[in-house]
Amino acid sequence: MSEVNSVKEAIHKIEHFCAYQERCHDEVVQKLRTMKMDSNEIDEILAHLIQENYLNESRFACSFARGKHRIKFWGKVRIVNELKFRNISTYNINLALKEITAEEYDTNFNALAERNWHSIKESNGLKKRKKCCDFLLRKGYENNLVYEKVKELEAGKN
Protein backbone atom coordinates (compact mmCIF):
# COMPACT_ATOMS: atom_id res chain seq x y z
CA MET A 1 0.00 0.00 0.00
CA SER A 2 1.32 3.44 -0.85
CA GLU A 3 1.86 5.84 2.00
CA VAL A 4 -0.89 8.37 2.59
CA ASN A 5 0.31 11.97 2.59
CA SER A 6 -2.50 13.84 4.29
CA VAL A 7 -5.18 13.35 6.90
CA LYS A 8 -7.77 14.25 4.26
CA GLU A 9 -6.58 11.41 2.01
CA ALA A 10 -6.56 9.01 4.96
CA ILE A 11 -10.12 10.01 5.91
CA HIS A 12 -11.27 9.39 2.34
CA LYS A 13 -9.64 5.93 2.24
CA ILE A 14 -10.82 4.91 5.68
CA GLU A 15 -14.40 6.04 4.93
CA HIS A 16 -14.42 3.56 2.03
CA PHE A 17 -12.88 0.93 4.33
CA CYS A 18 -15.70 1.44 6.86
CA ALA A 19 -18.46 1.71 4.26
CA TYR A 20 -17.51 -1.64 2.73
CA GLN A 21 -18.40 -3.55 5.92
CA GLU A 22 -18.94 -2.89 9.62
CA ARG A 23 -15.64 -2.37 11.45
CA CYS A 24 -14.69 -2.16 15.10
CA HIS A 25 -12.44 0.60 16.44
CA ASP A 26 -9.44 -1.73 16.71
CA GLU A 27 -9.61 -2.70 13.02
CA VAL A 28 -9.73 0.96 11.98
CA VAL A 29 -6.84 1.94 14.27
CA GLN A 30 -4.77 -0.96 12.93
CA LYS A 31 -5.53 0.09 9.34
CA LEU A 32 -4.57 3.70 10.10
CA ARG A 33 -1.28 2.53 11.61
CA THR A 34 -0.46 0.68 8.39
CA MET A 35 -1.10 4.01 6.64
CA LYS A 36 1.67 5.56 8.81
CA MET A 37 -0.64 7.86 10.79
CA ASP A 38 0.50 9.12 14.21
CA SER A 39 -1.70 8.88 17.30
CA ASN A 40 -3.01 12.48 17.10
CA GLU A 41 -4.08 11.96 13.49
CA ILE A 42 -5.66 8.63 14.39
CA ASP A 43 -7.70 10.27 17.16
CA GLU A 44 -8.82 13.04 14.79
CA ILE A 45 -9.85 10.54 12.10
CA LEU A 46 -11.69 8.30 14.60
CA ALA A 47 -13.63 11.29 15.91
CA HIS A 48 -14.61 12.17 12.32
CA LEU A 49 -15.70 8.58 11.55
CA ILE A 50 -17.82 8.35 14.70
CA GLN A 51 -19.38 11.77 14.08
CA GLU A 52 -20.24 10.87 10.48
CA ASN A 53 -21.60 7.48 11.64
CA TYR A 54 -19.08 5.41 9.67
CA LEU A 55 -17.97 3.79 12.90
CA ASN A 56 -20.36 2.50 15.55
CA GLU A 57 -19.34 -0.21 18.03
CA SER A 58 -22.93 -1.17 18.92
CA ARG A 59 -23.85 -1.60 15.28
CA PHE A 60 -20.66 -3.60 14.68
CA ALA A 61 -21.30 -5.91 17.65
CA CYS A 62 -24.90 -6.59 16.64
CA SER A 63 -23.98 -7.25 13.03
CA PHE A 64 -21.08 -9.48 14.07
CA ALA A 65 -23.23 -11.58 16.41
CA ARG A 66 -26.05 -11.99 13.88
CA GLY A 67 -23.71 -12.91 11.05
CA LYS A 68 -21.53 -15.35 12.95
CA HIS A 69 -24.55 -17.14 14.38
CA ARG A 70 -26.61 -17.33 11.18
CA ILE A 71 -23.80 -18.03 8.74
CA LYS A 72 -21.13 -19.88 10.72
CA PHE A 73 -23.50 -21.26 13.40
CA TRP A 74 -21.35 -20.01 16.27
CA GLY A 75 -22.67 -20.28 19.80
CA LYS A 76 -22.85 -17.47 22.33
CA VAL A 77 -19.64 -18.44 24.13
CA ARG A 78 -17.54 -18.08 20.99
CA ILE A 79 -19.28 -14.87 19.92
CA VAL A 80 -18.64 -13.31 23.35
CA ASN A 81 -14.98 -14.35 23.29
CA GLU A 82 -14.44 -12.98 19.77
CA LEU A 83 -16.08 -9.66 20.68
CA LYS A 84 -13.95 -9.40 23.84
CA PHE A 85 -10.88 -10.10 21.71
CA ARG A 86 -11.87 -7.05 19.62
CA ASN A 87 -12.16 -4.91 22.81
CA ILE A 88 -15.92 -4.46 22.56
CA SER A 89 -17.56 -3.25 25.78
CA THR A 90 -19.68 -5.56 27.94
CA TYR A 91 -22.71 -3.35 27.28
CA ASN A 92 -22.34 -3.79 23.51
CA ILE A 93 -21.71 -7.53 23.87
CA ASN A 94 -24.95 -7.94 25.83
CA LEU A 95 -26.77 -5.82 23.23
CA ALA A 96 -25.37 -8.03 20.46
CA LEU A 97 -26.49 -11.26 22.15
CA LYS A 98 -30.07 -9.93 22.23
CA GLU A 99 -29.96 -10.01 18.40
CA ILE A 100 -30.10 -13.82 18.56
CA THR A 101 -33.54 -15.09 19.53
CA ALA A 102 -33.83 -18.15 21.76
CA GLU A 103 -35.85 -20.03 19.10
CA GLU A 104 -33.28 -19.33 16.39
CA TYR A 105 -30.44 -20.32 18.73
CA ASP A 106 -32.10 -23.63 19.66
CA THR A 107 -33.04 -24.41 16.06
CA ASN A 108 -29.52 -23.78 14.77
CA PHE A 109 -27.92 -25.68 17.64
CA ASN A 110 -30.14 -28.74 17.20
CA ALA A 111 -29.71 -28.81 13.42
CA LEU A 112 -25.92 -28.44 13.72
CA ALA A 113 -25.68 -31.12 16.43
CA GLU A 114 -27.77 -33.64 14.50
CA ARG A 115 -25.96 -32.97 11.22
CA ASN A 116 -22.59 -33.41 12.91
CA TRP A 117 -23.68 -36.53 14.83
CA HIS A 118 -24.81 -38.26 11.64
CA SER A 119 -21.71 -37.23 9.71
CA ILE A 120 -19.29 -38.82 12.19
CA LYS A 121 -18.28 -42.25 10.91
CA GLU A 122 -17.06 -43.81 14.13
CA SER A 123 -18.07 -47.25 15.43
CA ASN A 124 -16.72 -46.63 18.96
CA GLY A 125 -19.48 -44.87 20.91
CA LEU A 126 -17.12 -43.01 23.27
CA LYS A 127 -15.01 -41.64 20.41
CA LYS A 128 -18.12 -40.57 18.50
CA ARG A 129 -19.47 -38.80 21.60
CA LYS A 130 -16.14 -37.05 22.16
CA LYS A 131 -15.86 -35.91 18.54
CA CYS A 132 -19.37 -34.50 18.57
CA CYS A 133 -18.90 -32.75 21.94
CA ASP A 134 -15.57 -31.28 20.87
CA PHE A 135 -17.07 -29.94 17.65
CA LEU A 136 -20.01 -28.27 19.39
CA LEU A 137 -17.82 -26.83 22.14
CA ARG A 138 -15.42 -25.38 19.52
CA LYS A 139 -18.41 -23.77 17.84
CA GLY A 140 -19.05 -22.01 21.14
CA TYR A 141 -22.11 -23.67 22.57
CA GLU A 142 -22.64 -23.99 26.31
CA ASN A 143 -21.41 -27.17 28.06
CA ASN A 144 -24.78 -28.15 29.50
CA LEU A 145 -26.52 -27.82 26.11
CA VAL A 146 -23.84 -29.86 24.37
CA TYR A 147 -23.80 -32.73 26.86
CA GLU A 148 -27.60 -32.94 27.07
CA LYS A 149 -27.91 -33.00 23.27
CA VAL A 150 -25.22 -35.65 22.82
CA LYS A 151 -26.90 -37.88 25.45
CA GLU A 152 -30.20 -37.41 23.60
CA LEU A 153 -28.60 -38.28 20.24
CA GLU A 154 -26.86 -41.32 21.73
CA ALA A 155 -30.05 -42.65 23.30
CA GLY A 156 -32.30 -42.00 20.33
CA LYS A 157 -30.32 -42.54 17.16
CA ASN A 158 -27.17 -44.59 17.58
Side-chain angles (χ1 to χ4, degrees), residues 5-141:
N5 297 327
S6 70
V7 172
K8 193 174 181 181
E9 260 182 73
I11 287 174
H12 184 68
K13 281 190 175 193
I14 214 75
E15 281 176 350
H16 285 289
F17 181 69
C18 291
Y20 177 70
Q21 81 179 39
E22 290 295 335
R23 308 284 182 178
C24 67
H25 288 35
D26 281 359
E27 286 175 307
V28 173
V29 168
Q30 194 173 22
K31 181 76 169 172
L32 288 168
R33 286 196 179 119
T34 65
M35 297 165 82
K36 309 282 190 253
M37 296 280 126
D38 67 28
S39 54
N40 291 337
E41 292 169 330
I42 289 173
D43 291 343
E44 180 186 331
I45 294 168
L46 281 177
H48 168 79
L49 293 172
I50 292 167
Q51 185 179 354
E52 297 296 319
N53 207 19
Y54 281 99
L55 203 55
N56 183 326
E57 291 266 272
S58 300
R59 194 175 61 207
F60 167 79
C62 291
S63 172
F64 183 90
R66 273 192 318 269
K68 296 300 182 188
H69 181 67
R70 291 183 184 151
I71 296 167
K72 292 194 170 188
F73 300 103
W74 283 6
K76 291 180 180 178
V77 174
R78 179 138 184 214
I79 292 170
V80 167
N81 289 337
E82 292 288 334
L83 288 171
K84 282 181 182 175
F85 177 73
R86 289 169 170 76
N87 296 320
I88 305 298
S89 69
T90 306
Y91 171 80
N92 285 331
I93 290 173
N94 291 333
L95 192 66
L97 291 178
K98 289 177 186 168
E99 292 285 312
I100 304 168
T101 64
E103 301 84 47
E104 179 185 17
Y105 193 73
D106 289 341
T107 303
N108 284 347
F109 170 71
N110 288 322
L112 184 68
E114 288 176 23
R115 190 170 61 232
N116 182 260
W117 180 260
H118 295 300
S119 73
I120 298 172
K121 305 292 183 219
E122 180 64 63
S123 56
N124 184 328
L126 286 174
K127 286 184 180 178
K128 186 171 184 171
R129 183 185 329 157
K130 182 176 178 354
K131 284 182 180 183
C132 190
C133 287
D134 288 349
F135 173 79
L136 294 170
L137 291 171
R138 262 194 318 276
K139 281 289 191 177
Y141 289 97

